[in-house]
Amino acid sequence: MEIQVIEALLVEDSKLAFTIVSDMLKKSKKYTFNVKIANSLKEAEELLLENFFHVTLLDLNLPDSLGLDTLKTVHTKFKNMPIIVLTSIDEDANWFNAITLGAQDYLIKGKFDTDLLELSIRYSLEKKKADDRLRVTYRALNVRSQYNKALSVLTEEQDLLHEMCRII
């Protein structure tokens, strides 16, 4: 079943940017967005600890954190949270570094519209689902591998015990 209501955290200290992004999300034809705002990294961390969000829309330059350090902090503390960077920093190196550090997408303020923002959020949510399935599969394979190793050791011990009994 597909999510119809998306809980989003917008981490943004500019009222104008908040208004623009909120208005874009209100125009969505497919989803209803419940948007909470955090004006600082500290406030974002508190909201992420106290509430459930499907996605975080993160400005990199905040009053209490600047640049990629903002992303590093959020991603380190909330590894499973899909993060979409919304920034005015239009540099390829920054985009690449943000994706490498765990951002799902990197959108330049003033260069995206409602459709692109919605698509980015949908993509991020689908990628998270795929990552979750992959994580579960990995854990299951790891457990199975450990079980097989233990069974192998047990079988070797049984064979050794049978051999010792035969000799005696």
Side-chain angles (χ1 to χ4, degrees):
M1 185 172 169
E2 192 171 332
I3 301 168
Q4 296 302 315
V5 177
I6 295 176
E7 303 295 332
L9 175 61
L10 176 54
V11 186
E12 176 61 68
D13 63 328
S14 163
K15 290 183 185 197
L16 177 60
F18 169 74
T19 302
I20 291 169
V21 172
S22 294
D23 287 347
M24 285 182 181
L25 295 175
K26 285 177 188 171
K27 292 177 186 175
S28 174
K29 295 175 185 93
K30 187 164 186 155
Y31 302 105
T32 300
F33 287 93
N34 290 330
V35 181
K36 287 194 179 181
I37 186 167
N39 296 302
S40 67
L41 180 59
K42 182 178 190 256
E43 190 178 347
E45 290 174 320
E46 290 169 1
L47 285 169
L48 285 164
L49 286 170
E50 296 168 2
N51 300 278
F52 169 79
F53 295 100
H54 292 101
V55 65
T56 296
L57 307 171
L58 181 67
D59 182 16
L60 294 180
N61 293 322
L62 300 168
D64 56 349
S65 184
L66 294 176
L68 292 172
D69 286 338
T70 307
L71 174 61
K72 285 180 198 173
T73 300
V74 175
H75 183 66
T76 299
K77 292 181 179 180
F78 306 95
K79 287 198 183 303
N80 293 328
M81 172 61 59
I83 301 168
I84 299 170
V85 171
L86 304 180
T87 185
S88 55
I89 304 169
D90 189 0
E91 298 174 3
D92 287 344
N94 215 50
W95 171 86
F96 179 79
N97 289 333
I99 299 300
T100 302
L101 290 171
Q104 297 284 331
D105 207 347
Y106 187 95
L107 301 177
I108 309 299
K109 291 178 186 177
K111 294 190 176 183
F112 63 89
D113 60 9
T114 301
D115 292 336
L116 183 58
L117 180 59
E118 184 178 313
L119 182 65
S120 178
I121 292 170
R122 286 175 47 201
Y123 166 79
S124 295
L125 296 176
E126 289 304 316
K127 185 171 184 309
K128 182 184 181 320
K129 284 185 207 173
D131 288 348
D132 289 347
R133 285 191 300 268
L134 192 58
R135 204 173 355 272
V136 168
T137 301
Y138 175 77
R139 281 191 208 128
L141 289 172
N142 193 27
V143 167
R144 186 175 198 160
S145 174
Q146 290 177 2
Y147 171 79
N148 286 340
K149 287 178 187 175
L151 188 59
S152 175
V153 168
L154 183 60
T155 302
E156 289 173 10
E157 288 176 357
Q158 281 183 325
D159 290 346
L160 183 60
L161 184 59
H162 285 297
E163 185 62 24
M164 288 173 64
C165 287
R166 189 187 62 76
I167 294 172
I168 296 176

